[in-house]
Amino acid sequence: MAKIAPYRRPNPDTQPPYLLPAYASSIKRAPAKSLIYLPHTLSEVTGPSFTEAAIDVKACDLTRQHSDNPLGERIIVSGRVTDEEGRPLRHSLIEVWQANAAGRYLHKRDQHNAPLDPNFTGCGHTLTDAEGRYRFVTIRPGAYPWGNHHNAWRPAHIHLSVFGAAFASRLVTQMYFPGDPLLPFDPIFNCTADENARNRLISQFDWDTTIPSQALGFKFDIVLSGREATPMET
Ligand SMILES: [Fe+2]
């Protein structure tokens, strides 16, 4: 049987810790005992693959899922998904979920006193192309209050899940918007200690993908863990 090449473990401080007291929910979620190192085996270095047949082609446009347009500022979120060697993650499932323009999720546990939008569900998915590119049309989400501490507000953000090539490289993260005044006060954004790594969570305004009279473009590139194996020269 061929030797299994494991995936690279994250660099210290470039990922949020399990326990960060400023982020109150992490106190209950964090492991109470030190972790046991498990080598990557076949179940970690493999994962489900997705074909076009499993994809709803309309799911990449969150503004076209109902009979009318959702309220809010239409935006385009796009970028590339690569591994740490810059190799594209091809045909990889990428999913998004977000609050509406008023800062409210379509979820029974979200009881924020802001209106729901009958024309906005807030969920989408797509596959990356052969170069690892993806693109969503959506509306800019609103900031919303949360119960973490007194007067706590989440900066506007979009949740993303990228399946990648294997379970060991699957990434669940949040994308933020440049210039958001709430970012310095957000415990979740500030969970990531390394400033450069943290700033990679902020999308960039992008003229190239902005469509005149239609939508502003925001670029958000994503890097997944690479394998420990030496990259092959191509
Ligand atoms: Fe959220």
Side-chain angles (χ1 to χ4, degrees):
M1 187 176 162
K3 189 169 177 288
I4 289 171
Y7 277 81
R8 200 163 295 146
R9 310 283 171 156
N11 292 326
D13 296 335
T14 64
Q15 301 293 320
Y18 293 112
L19 175 63
L20 195 94
Y23 178 14
S25 300
S26 75
I27 296 170
K28 284 186 179 172
R29 289 182 194 153
K33 297 180 179 173
S34 52
L35 300 183
I36 298 168
Y37 184 94
L38 294 174
H40 288 163
T41 62
L42 197 58
S43 20
E44 286 76 41
V45 302
T46 55
S49 62
F50 300 91
T51 63
E52 296 287 351
I55 299 300
D56 177 353
V57 291
K58 290 182 286 190
C60 64
D61 188 340
L62 284 70
T63 70
R64 291 271 183 269
Q65 296 178 348
H66 297 274
S67 58
D68 211 343
N69 292 314
L71 294 172
E73 179 186 340
R74 198 180 299 117
I75 61 172
I76 293 162
V77 176
S78 64
R80 273 189 93 212
V81 185
T82 58
D83 70 11
E84 290 164 303
E85 263 68 53
R87 292 175 292 203
L89 266 289
R90 300 186 173 98
H91 314 303
S92 190
L93 179 69
I94 175 164
E95 300 165 282
V96 292
W97 60 100
Q98 63 168 93
N100 67 22
R104 175 112 184 241
Y105 287 98
L106 182 58
H107 192 281
K108 62 180 184 228
R109 290 193 61 187
D110 186 346
Q111 295 299 313
H112 172 34
N113 181 23
L116 288 170
D117 185 339
N119 292 305
F120 192 73
T121 302
C123 298
H125 64 257
T126 191
L127 289 183
T128 58
D129 69 10
E131 272 81 52
R133 290 182 303 239
Y134 73 91
R135 181 179 184 273
F136 288 101
V137 181
T138 184
I139 53 99
R140 186 174 176 131
Y144 59 80
W146 61 313
N148 190 71
H149 55 274
H150 174 66
N151 210 9
W153 289 82
R154 293 296 330 277
H157 61 276
I158 296 176
H159 297 264
L160 296 104
S161 160
V162 188
F163 249 89
F167 284 114
S169 68
R170 189 187 176 200
L171 177 75
V172 178
T173 189
Q174 300 184 24
M175 182 203 101
Y176 299 92
F177 290 86
D180 192 321
L182 293 170
L183 286 173
F185 307 99
D186 182 49
I188 295 181
F189 174 69
N190 290 290
C191 273
T192 303
D194 183 272
E195 187 179 6
N196 287 332
R198 192 164 66 239
N199 287 338
R200 288 198 288 273
L201 298 171
I202 305 173
S203 59
Q204 295 180 322
F205 171 64
D206 183 29
W207 277 119
D208 289 342
T209 51
T210 292
I211 301 176
S213 307
Q214 273 293 311
L216 295 181
F218 289 88
K219 194 174 158 198
F220 189 63
D221 292 332
I222 299 166
V223 181
L224 300 187
S225 294
R227 283 184 185 267
E228 289 288 11
T230 305
M232 297 235 314
E233 200 172 309
T234 53

